[in-house]
Amino acid sequence: CYCGIPEGRSFDETGDCGYIYAEISPQESEIKFIPAAKRINRAINVDITGCNTYDDVLSKIHINKNNLYKITLSGIQNPNIQFDSKVLEELTEAFYCKIVNLAKPSLKDSDNFGLIGKYFIEYIECSDIIDKDTAIKIGLEALSGGGLH
């Protein structure tokens, strides 16, 4: 029997961690799980479609301040709004938080980038680039003055 792990070692080991306690005798046996982790690793996905402020994003993130989190942002992000992952990590007030932003820019809002934005998107869509969504996201961030990350 695998006894378990008292603490998660990475975000591959999420959820309750602990050990198995067993008392075995010829007449009966008792086996139970004993939670032992002081902090629990949690990996959560948050759809930020329609979020326009940090408060909008934070309202979708429900955390226990003692735990460790890997939060993946997904959905459609307004290209006029740039969420700084480091700022969001601090605003969660979790013991530890890592934000990964995989949200895609809204192409319907690309009119805000003018003619150059439209040509850029057309160029990427017709190119041999494998990860078109990431290329468009980075390009629109650069066009909006957000710089390259």
Side-chain angles (χ1 to χ4, degrees), residues 51-63:
C51 292
N52 293 315
T53 65
Y54 286 109
D55 285 337
D56 291 345
V57 175
L58 291 171
S59 72
K60 294 186 171 199
I61 300 172
H62 306 288
I63 64 164

Side-chain angles (χ1 to χ4, degrees), residues 64-133:
N64 175 324
K65 294 181 182 184
N66 295 322
N67 291 334
L68 302 105
Y69 290 88
K70 177 182 178 187
I71 300 171
T72 302
L73 303 180
S74 63
I76 306 298
Q77 181 174 328
N78 183 334
N80 296 319
I81 300 166
Q82 302 301 320
F83 292 115
D84 185 333
S85 294
K86 296 294 181 200
V87 171
L88 275 171
E89 289 168 2
E90 289 183 23
L91 289 173
T92 64
E93 297 181 356
F95 181 80
Y96 173 82
C97 183
K98 171 73 176 160
I99 302 276
V100 177
N101 189 352
L102 298 180
K104 298 177 181 175
S106 171
L107 299 183
K108 70 180 177 76
D109 295 325
S110 65
D111 291 343
N112 297 331
F113 298 103
L115 195 55
I116 193 167
K118 287 182 182 181
Y119 282 130
F120 171 74
I121 292 169
E122 281 181 32
Y123 174 79
I124 296 297
E125 292 293 341
C126 295
S127 72
D128 292 336
I129 294 173
I130 295 172
D131 190 355
K132 292 178 179 14
D133 291 332

